[in-house]
Amino acid sequence: MSIVIADEPRVAAPPPPEPVVPRRNYLNTEYGVLSWLLTVDHKRIGILYLVSISAFFVVGGIAAGLVRLNLLSPTGAILTEDQYNRMFTAHGVVMLFLFLIPSIPAVFGNFFVPMMIGAKDLAFPKLNLASWYVFMIGAGFAVYAVLVGGIDTGWTLYPPYSSRSHTNVTPGVFGVFITGFSSIMTGLNIMVTIHKMRCPGMTWGRLPLFIWAMYATSFIQLLGTPVVAITLLLLLAERVGGVGIFDPAIGGDPVLYQHMFWFYSHPAVYIMIVPGMGVVSEILTCFSRKNIFGYKAIAWSSVGIAVVGFLVWAHHMYVAGIAYYSALLFSFLTMLVAVPSAIKVFNWLATLFRGSITFHAPMLYTLAFLVLFTVGGVTGLFLATLGTDIHLHDTYFVVAHFHFVMVGGMVLAYMAALHYWWPKMTGRMYSDFWSRASATIIFVGFFFTFVPQFVLGYHGMPRRYPNYPQEFQIYNVLSTAGASILGFGYLLPGIYLPLSLFFGVKSPANPWSATGLEWQCPSPPTTFNFDFVPVVVCGPYEYAIGVDQLGRGLPDPPGPGDAASPYRPVGPAGPIHKETEVVG
Amino acid sequence: MTTDTHKPDDPPTMHDVDKVGSLFVVYFVVLGLAVANILLAEFGHLGNLSLPVQLGIGTVQACLVAWYWMHMRRGDKVVTLTAVTALFFIFIFYVLVLADILTRWRAAI
């Protein structure tokens, strides 16, 4: 392999003319509430999910805010101990089952998988709509349970306490059980679509890495979710019917619950993070103007994570009473799952190397992801190691590690995806300044929130305790102060993104000069995405020779000197170089 | 029921639709096996053989459902691979859980 640095961009093909903006697109083809509630358009269903999970994100965020406020004082600042239990459970249940799991697969998977493989819709459009309804019904039960009376078991719902608790465990468990079916429906739909509906020329080796990530995610959803559904059903049978399955008082085995629960719930972590990894691969290449480094390695590492992720669940149970030999085995297996994750990180770094990097909001979020996910991953190795986990188990170290991966990783990848694809979804550009400011504020706030928790955990503060010794207060105050910065950072997109719908200038079809098929559709797309059958002629990231997947040249995004551009004030602030190097 | 000339890779035709009668036959066979399993649990005194026999009956039931109701017999290779993959992961789950349960007598942390 040789690397040639070119001073001038080499244009392999002329860029296509800006497509005529169609009078009708998926947003204005029909009006009225019913047109949304009965739609089978994958893009509209993606928007339905976006609106729904944004609301749940606010609910879960408020619960998190109350938990952090309460921890300002060693004796609890605003909540009783019982209220505190219900509040952190509400935060966990809502954020995990109603936001993180459906976030990228249901919003961006629904919206962009067909467009990125050149299809008109998902394979089963009606099933897709049904999945949203099932999700909302389950979410209704779960939100009712956590907001009206609450659940005090923690989001893991461990028996025997969950079998005996007098709080709203039954509707909560039932809600989570129902939302699982929605996850299965989405996974099935996406997997079949990728298998059966790729356009001509879109071979497996030309699939965007986001599609590979979604494929791996669907694999986990299809194989793992039924297990947790059965587990929760058994829990309900014990709780409602008194059948002794998990409660030792009536002949059950509580560790069996943990085995069954984590057999799904650890891979569920990869349901959350693997799609984010796919997003990162898309954005890093675009904003560094580089071909992806190690396409096959990244693609297969997604599949590797999906498979190996099923072999590591009992690392959550080292001190739960499992056999010593079993704990040793799972410690070793857990180390293995770090390998494909590390492969991805190294390949992303190599992609950035000598790239022509521009720091727009999607890229800022993505770079933040890289830093925070790496910290989260490395601290995960502390917990995977049997010896250190004995000390760190169920402390704030685990909380910090988990949030570094889930919030620093997944939520930032979600925000990156939202900012990257927002112009395509809505046809509008958002404020460049405020979006960069938001990404920066979130990054800073995140560190202040969760780094003190590593220290707290290492010094032995247990998770889920409302009270703590005086010497821990400084770290808790720091963490709460960071959470307020973080909350402010999240608030900003909640303002400038909706405002852009009304005041944002119109986006061209390909504002980031990206190579994927989805950018060949107008912004916003028409109902069936493409007016022609796309024929793919090359891989998904041909930034080196400057062509999209149809073999056409890439447009130059507008720059600050382009005074005639109507979207200059809010578009990218500087010209993105079409090419800086040729790898061949 | 499918005709004898049908090959797995052939596209489905209208003749591939299962007859209602055959579906009901399978249904009653599955029900009968369930009743047999319950009776065996209640009245059969098979000793150590009880568990493998009952699991065997359950396996036959699952195979009938997969083969006829889930149309596995007409599934292409990807469908078959998917089903086998699911079984493989259940196998992993069983093996690793049993690895814990069967060695707990030695020591725990």
Side-chain angles (χ1 to χ4, degrees):
Chain A
M1 186 178 75
S2 63
I3 297 177
V4 178
I5 308 299
D7 293 329
E8 294 297 326
R10 295 194 318 168
V11 180
E18 181 69 19
V20 178
V21 178
R23 202 165 58 85
R24 290 288 177 193
N25 57 57
Y26 83 100
L27 289 170
N28 65 11
T29 186
E30 287 178 288
Y31 290 99
V33 175
L34 275 183
S35 74
W36 283 87
L37 293 181
L38 300 177
T39 184
V40 290
D41 183 342
H42 65 102
K43 298 178 290 298
R44 283 192 164 211
I45 295 169
I47 297 291
L48 287 177
Y49 268 112
L50 175 66
V51 173
S52 314
I53 70 166
S54 297
F56 296 132
F57 183 71
V58 172
V59 173
I62 290 171
L66 291 173
V67 166
R68 283 301 341 153
L69 276 176
N70 193 58
L71 288 169
L72 277 173
S73 160
T75 53
I78 56 171
L79 302 172
T80 66
E81 290 164 0
D82 194 40
Q83 286 171 335
Y84 181 83
N85 289 343
R86 293 165 197 241
M87 206 49 69
F88 72 69
T89 305
H91 169 64
V93 168
V94 171
M95 283 300 199
L96 282 161
F97 295 113
L98 306 185
F99 175 73
L100 284 172
I101 288 178
S103 57
I104 290 184
V107 177
F108 300 108
N110 262 328
F111 202 108
F112 285 106
V113 164
M115 292 170 69
M116 292 172 88
I117 63 171
K120 292 199 313 191
D121 205 321
L122 285 169
F124 308 117
K126 289 177 182 171
L127 185 74
N128 197 17
L129 181 63
S131 82
W132 180 74
Y133 276 103
V134 170
F135 173 73
M136 291 306 290
I137 292 169
F141 275 100
V143 170
Y144 165 79
V146 298
L147 293 186
V148 184
I151 306 172
D152 63 350
T153 62
W155 76 272
T156 49
L157 301 159
Y158 275 2
Y161 185 62
S162 59
S163 298
R164 304 171 189 172
S165 169
H166 296 296
T167 54
N168 280 346
V169 174
T170 302
V173 168
F174 194 57
V176 173
F177 171 74
I178 293 173
T179 57
F181 286 95
S182 164
S183 189
I184 293 170
M185 289 175 183
T186 301
L188 177 75
N189 220 339
I190 286 176
M191 187 174 264
V192 174
T193 304
I194 295 171
H195 267 282
K196 295 290 186 185
M197 297 181 68
R198 303 190 310 275
C199 67
M202 182 61 87
T203 58
W204 287 89
R206 289 174 178 171
L207 283 178
L209 288 166
F210 178 71
I211 301 296
W212 273 100
M214 287 305 307
Y215 187 82
T217 306
S218 305
F219 178 82
I220 305 171
Q221 286 175 310
L222 283 177
L223 286 179
T225 314
V227 178
V228 81
I230 293 165
T231 311
L232 296 176
L233 213 54
L234 291 174
L235 183 63
L236 282 178
E238 179 168 277
R239 187 177 164 81
V240 179
V243 183
I245 301 166
F246 303 125
D247 187 345
I250 48 177
D253 179 359
V255 179
L256 178 63
Y257 173 87
Q258 295 189 28
H259 272 302
M260 296 178 76
F261 179 81
W262 287 115
F263 184 74
Y264 163 76
S265 293
H266 189 78
V269 171
Y270 301 114
I271 293 178
M272 303 172 211
I273 195 69
V274 170
M277 293 167 161
V279 169
V280 166
S281 298
E282 297 297 317
I283 295 176
L284 272 182
T285 50
C286 177
F287 289 91
S288 59
R289 317 308 296 169
K290 286 272 301 284
N291 290 21
I292 194 82
F293 188 94
Y295 172 88
K296 287 183 180 174
I298 295 180
W300 282 104
S301 64
S302 292
V303 180
I305 288 173
V307 173
V308 181
F310 271 103
L311 308 177
V312 303
W313 75 87
H315 64 225
H316 297 267
M317 303 162 56
Y318 287 156
V319 296
I322 62 171
Y324 179 69
Y325 297 100
S326 185
L328 272 179
L329 175 65
F330 276 103
S331 183
F332 169 72
L333 289 171
T334 303
M335 297 292 177
L336 291 183
V337 83
V339 175
S341 304
I343 286 173
K344 282 183 187 295
V345 172
F346 288 132
N347 280 291
W348 289 329
L349 288 178
T351 303
L352 285 172
F353 180 62
R354 299 174 83 170
S356 178
I357 299 171
T358 46
F359 297 96
H360 302 290
M363 187 61 160
L364 286 178
Y365 278 115
T366 301
L367 293 174
F369 170 100
L370 270 185
V371 174
L372 301 179
F373 174 75
T374 304
V375 174
V378 170
T379 52
L381 291 176
F382 288 56
L383 298 168
T385 308
L386 194 50
T388 47
D389 185 69
I390 305 302
H391 174 62
L392 299 170
H393 188 90
D394 258 349
T395 67
Y396 259 83
F397 193 94
V398 179
V399 177
H401 153 72
F402 183 70
H403 282 81
F404 259 82
V405 177
M406 286 294 102
V407 183
M410 174 56 208
V411 177
L412 288 198
Y414 175 79
M415 298 295 284
L418 192 60
H419 285 78
Y420 182 56
W421 280 314
W422 183 266
K424 179 58 63 185
M425 296 167 80
T426 65
R428 299 282 179 169
M429 299 298 292
Y430 48 81
S431 163
D432 192 46
F433 170 78
W434 284 110
S435 59
R436 293 185 201 219
S438 160
T440 310
I441 291 169
I442 288 175
F443 186 64
V444 172
F446 183 89
F447 263 102
F448 269 109
T449 308
F450 293 106
V451 168
Q453 295 184 10
F454 277 126
V455 182
L456 279 171
Y458 187 77
H459 285 97
M461 178 165 168
R463 65 194 298 192
R464 296 174 175 165
Y465 277 36
N467 306 315
Y468 54 82
Q470 186 70 43
E471 62 261 34
F472 287 158
Q473 188 170 21
I474 179 68
Y475 299 110
N476 275 299
V477 170
L478 263 176
S479 184
T480 303
S484 63
I485 299 171
L486 193 56
F488 178 66
Y490 285 135
L491 192 63
L492 288 177
I495 296 170
Y496 65 72
L497 287 179
L499 282 181
S500 76
L501 296 176
F502 304 100
F503 305 110
V505 290
K506 289 184 177 173
S507 163
N510 192 355
W512 310 120
S513 188
T515 52
L517 273 188
E518 77 272 29
W519 300 105
Q520 313 314 317
C521 307
S523 301
T526 54
T527 300
F528 295 115
N529 304 333
F530 298 94
D531 296 331
F532 54 94
V533 177
V535 178
V536 170
V537 297
C538 60
Y541 308 110
E542 295 294 349
Y543 290 100
I545 54 174
V547 294
D548 60 31
Q549 282 202 278
L550 300 179
R552 306 183 302 183
L554 298 175
D556 272 326
D562 187 4
S565 167
Y567 36 84
R568 182 183 60 82
V570 290
I576 299 174
H577 297 299
K578 291 176 68 175
E579 170 202 17
T580 54
E581 65 182 62
V582 177
V583 179
Chain B
M1 300 287 280
T2 183
T3 60
D4 293 335
T5 56
H6 184 85
K7 295 174 184 172
D9 292 335
D10 290 344
T13 68
M14 60 180 292
H15 302 295
D16 291 331
V17 177
D18 288 322
K19 291 175 184 169
V20 176
S22 67
L23 288 176
F24 269 103
V25 167
V26 174
Y27 176 63
F28 286 118
V29 170
V30 170
L31 271 187
L33 288 171
V35 171
N37 227 348
I38 293 166
L39 291 176
L40 204 60
E42 192 67 27
F43 305 111
H45 303 290
L46 299 179
N48 288 339
L49 281 178
S50 178
L51 185 64
V53 169
Q54 292 201 269
L55 283 177
I57 293 174
T59 306
V60 172
Q61 286 176 293
C63 289
L64 283 172
V65 170
W67 196 246
Y68 287 99
W69 286 359
M70 295 170 71
H71 306 288
M72 287 292 297
R73 62 205 164 117
R74 296 208 194 98
D76 59 18
K77 287 173 185 168
V78 174
V79 175
T80 308
L81 182 66
T82 306
V84 172
T85 304
L87 289 176
F88 176 68
F89 274 82
I90 292 173
F91 172 76
I92 288 174
F93 177 67
Y94 274 46
V95 166
L96 290 180
V97 170
L98 288 175
D100 165 33
I101 291 172
L102 297 177
T103 57
R104 270 189 211 169
W105 62 274
R106 289 172 184 263
I109 293 169

